[in-house]
Structure formats: structure tokens, C-alpha cells
Amino acid sequence: MKMWLAVPELNQQYLVMDLSKVYSLNVQMGDTSAAMQQAQAMLQGMMEHMPKEEVVNSLLKKYISIVLGCLNDVEKQETTLKLNGLEQTCTQLKTTITPENVLDIGQKVLSEVKSDAQIKEIILNMGTYAEEYVGAESAQVMYDQFVAQIDSLLKQLESQKDSLVAQAGDGGLIVNHYVDGQNRIIGRGMEMTNSDSSSAGSFQYYTVTQGDKFAFEADLGSVVITGDGTTSGNLLSGAYVLTTQGKELLKVEAEDWDEARWEQGAPCGTLRLSFGADALSQVPGAEEMAPMLSQMQLALTFDAKEDQADVKVSVLSSGMEIVSLHVSGSATEGGEISTPADGVDVEDQQ
């Protein structure tokens, strides 16, 4: 029940926190070691009763297929995206999701869930865990209640289907996908419509590529992000601007940003952030410091791989580095450790 912490680069001594004191501050738990063992047993029991990754993945694939199978109203046409003087021909896939589609999806998904043997097994397993550790009702009772709720929902959807559709009118969701010649999605858009077919809000983003040049725009309603630059293989370099209500708040410069590694969850490259032209005018009392702050940049340089990473954070003024913080780390084989012989209690004020 003790936690030991040392930062060898600063001091070889360990700081020690007695966790048993923390546990006993507000609630009497008796033997804290026994309480910790019980918590560990509950966590281990939960993990043993959780579904396996392959089961979850198969269920996701199955139910996404059911949803997509209900969306047959897809219009396909060739279109040309234009942005910042660049043009790119692509295929536009327009899907209209109506209230009838939503109700159809709900009924088919619920009906399938009700008879799904894998989901039944998951609920029974979790119910067994609840029986053992929480004192809940039997797993079978839990599953029967689950099925009864689905039956109730299905009856409700069926009985109110006409009224729900009439209430929604011509409202719905229009989804656009833009696909290039290599079957890559280069843009998406969504628009919600009211019962009278008027727009209830929308957002879209797309990238136009021509040779080694690109232009980007994302319209998220109140926030708009625009950018352009060049690509060389997997490396992207460009400048982006974030605006809201027509005011420029943030500028981001990307240098040699590796898109392939980014897709794998390993950022590599440099991002430089600076105030937009209108950002400082939005902060009360910042007028006097505006000339200095407008020259400032925050630079983030990443180099991450599967088992190691380097990050450098720098503050720049007029392109000159003022101060920086460099952090690196790696994953290695773990070794045996032992409790330190002594340490400094964190409650020791001296």
C-alpha cells in the first residue's frame, strides 16, 4: 500500500506515499490490504467475463452490414472539386437517410440482437460476474429482462411507426462522400434537414490534390479550417488557418508531416502554432503585449515509432528559439524491482 517515486536525473532519493492513509481518510475500510486484494479480484473477474476482441470485431462487422443494408438510396455521379485554384475530378456518392430508414434500421438491429447467440453469451457472462461480485440477480433473469425490453421497443416502434414518420416530415440526413480514382475518400459532408426540407445544420471537409499541390477546407459551421501546401511522397508541408465567425484565431504550419506514419498512430514531423490575425484582439488587456505575442510560435516536433518516441516543444520569437523542452522515451524489456530501503515521506514538510 505504498507508492515509491524517484526522478534519478533530479535526485536519487525516493518519495514515498502511504496509500493506506488515503483510503482511510473519509471511509473506514478495515484492512486496506484485503480491500485492495478484493478490488484486484473484482477487476480480474471482470476481465475474464468480458468478450474477446475477435467476438467484438465480428459483431461490429455484422451490425454495420445490417445498417448499411438499409441504406439503398445512393446517388452516384462524377464531380469536380475546386479550391484555391486547384481542381480534382472525383466520384460523389450521395446517401439520403430518411426517417423510414432510421426506423427500419432500429427494427432490424433490435430483431437481430434479440436472437443473437453471441450477444446472449456476453450478457450471461457479465450477469454471472454481477452475481459473483455485486450480488445481482441471476444471469438468466438479467438476459430475460433484456429480451423483454427489446420486445417492448419493437412493439412501440411498430405501433408508432406511421406517426413518427409523419412527425418527421421531409426531415432527414444527407451524407456525401467524395472518392478519388484510387478509391480513397478525399472528403465527406453531412447535412441535417428539418421537416420542411430546410437545412438544420451541416459540415463538410475535402482535400483537392493536383500534382504535388493540395488545398484543404473544413466547414464545421461556426469553425472553418482552410489550408494548402505540397506533398512529397508521404511527407506533407503546408499552412492552415482556423477562423470562427470570420475572425482568424489560429495559424498552424506543418513541415515534413509523415501521413503514412500518422495513419499508424505514430506522429512524425513538425507543427508550428501561432496566433491568428484577430486572436489577440479578442483577449481583453492584450493590446500592449500584442506586438510581442504576434511574433511568438509554439513548435512541436514529433518522431514516434512503434517502441520509442521523441518530442521537442519549443517557444520561438521571430523564428528564433527562446526555450525548448525535449522528451524521449522507449519501451524495453521489464526487469525485476525491489522495494527501496528508505525514502522521503511526502507528508514530511521538511
Side-chain angles (χ1 to χ4, degrees):
M1 296 298 293
K2 289 184 179 180
M3 182 174 74
W4 304 75
L5 171 68
V7 183
E9 289 80 3
L10 299 179
N11 195 308
Q12 294 296 322
Q13 282 188 301
Y14 279 88
L15 293 174
V16 188
M17 176 181 288
D18 189 341
L19 298 178
S20 63
K21 295 180 182 179
V22 178
Y23 278 105
S24 59
L25 282 178
N26 299 316
V27 59
Q28 284 299 114
M29 295 187 64
D31 185 347
T32 51
S33 297
M36 180 63 77
Q37 290 174 358
Q38 182 182 5
Q40 289 176 338
M42 288 181 67
L43 181 60
Q44 184 176 352
M46 178 183 290
M47 296 304 296
E48 290 172 352
H49 287 84
M50 292 285 280
K52 303 299 182 186
E53 181 181 2
E54 57 269 20
V55 173
V56 175
N57 287 336
S58 68
L59 287 171
L60 282 172
K61 184 184 293 186
K62 175 181 178 178
Y63 285 97
I64 289 174
S65 297
I66 292 174
V67 171
L68 295 178
C70 297
L71 305 176
N72 299 315
D73 184 13
V74 180
E75 301 175 27
K76 180 180 178 181
Q77 65 178 19
E78 187 176 285
T79 189
T80 300
L81 296 177
K82 300 179 181 181
L83 189 61
N84 291 2
L86 303 182
E87 297 184 5
Q88 183 175 5
T89 301
C90 61
T91 301
Q92 178 183 0
L93 302 174
K94 179 180 178 182
T95 307
T96 302
I97 303 175
T98 65
E100 290 92 337
N101 291 139
V102 176
L103 290 170
D104 189 27
I105 290 170
Q107 288 178 309
K108 288 185 177 178
V109 167
L110 287 172
S111 297
E112 184 62 32
V113 167
K114 179 183 173 182
S115 59
D116 194 312
Q118 286 183 309
I119 288 182
K120 179 179 181 180
E121 183 179 357
I122 291 172
I123 294 174
L124 290 176
N125 282 338
M126 295 306 295
T128 301
Y129 167 79
E131 277 186 77
E132 294 176 4
Y133 293 97
V134 188
E137 295 181 278
S138 72
Q140 186 61 50
V141 169
M142 184 180 293
Y143 179 72
D144 292 341
Q145 291 174 344
F146 174 74
V147 172
Q149 289 178 334
I150 290 181
D151 284 333
S152 176
L153 277 171
L154 285 170
K155 289 178 182 177
Q156 190 175 356
L157 286 176
E158 187 60 37
S159 63
Q160 298 180 8
K161 188 172 185 177
D162 293 338
S163 62
L164 290 172
V165 170
Q167 197 174 25
D170 293 327
L173 178 66
I174 299 173
V175 182
N176 284 303
H177 286 87
Y178 301 94
V179 184
D180 69 6
Q182 298 178 24
N183 286 329
R184 297 176 302 191
I185 296 176
I186 60 173
R188 288 185 173 93
M190 287 189 180
E191 181 180 10
M192 292 285 295
T193 57
N194 296 311
S195 57
D196 60 356
S197 296
S198 61
S199 178
S202 64
F203 82 85
Q204 65 175 358
Y205 75 87
Y206 54 90
T207 301
V208 178
T209 303
Q210 191 172 321
D212 63 348
K213 297 180 179 180
F214 75 88
F216 172 83
E217 181 174 275
D219 187 344
L220 309 178
S222 60
V223 175
V224 177
I225 303 171
T226 56
D228 54 25
T230 60
T231 57
S232 176
N234 293 325
L235 302 181
L236 175 151
S237 296
Y240 298 82
V241 177
L242 183 149
T243 61
T244 178
Q245 298 178 344
K247 297 187 181 298
E248 183 183 295
L249 298 185
L250 179 68
K251 294 188 289 186
V252 180
E253 298 176 14
E255 181 180 345
D256 291 338
W257 189 259
D258 194 319
E259 295 185 287
R261 285 170 64 172
W262 174 240
E263 288 178 0
Q264 297 170 0
C268 181
T270 300
L271 300 176
R272 295 188 182 90
L273 287 70
S274 57
F275 291 107
D278 305 304
L280 296 174
S281 63
Q282 307 299 305
V283 182
E287 294 84 358
E288 295 182 1
M289 300 183 66
M292 181 187 72
L293 293 175
S294 63
Q295 302 297 318
M296 304 288 284
Q297 277 189 323
L298 180 67
L300 309 171
T301 301
F302 302 89
D303 185 9
K305 299 181 178 67
E306 183 178 351
D307 58 356
Q308 66 182 53
D310 290 276
V311 181
K312 183 181 180 182
V313 182
S314 306
V315 177
L316 311 176
S317 178
S318 300
M320 298 288 291
E321 187 174 273
I322 300 175
V323 64
S324 67
L325 171 67
H326 186 196
V327 181
S328 62
S330 60
T332 60
E333 289 291 329
E336 290 189 5
I337 61 172
S338 58
T339 303
D342 54 17
V344 179
D345 193 321
V346 293
E347 294 186 7
D348 184 342
Q349 295 184 14
Q350 292 187 19

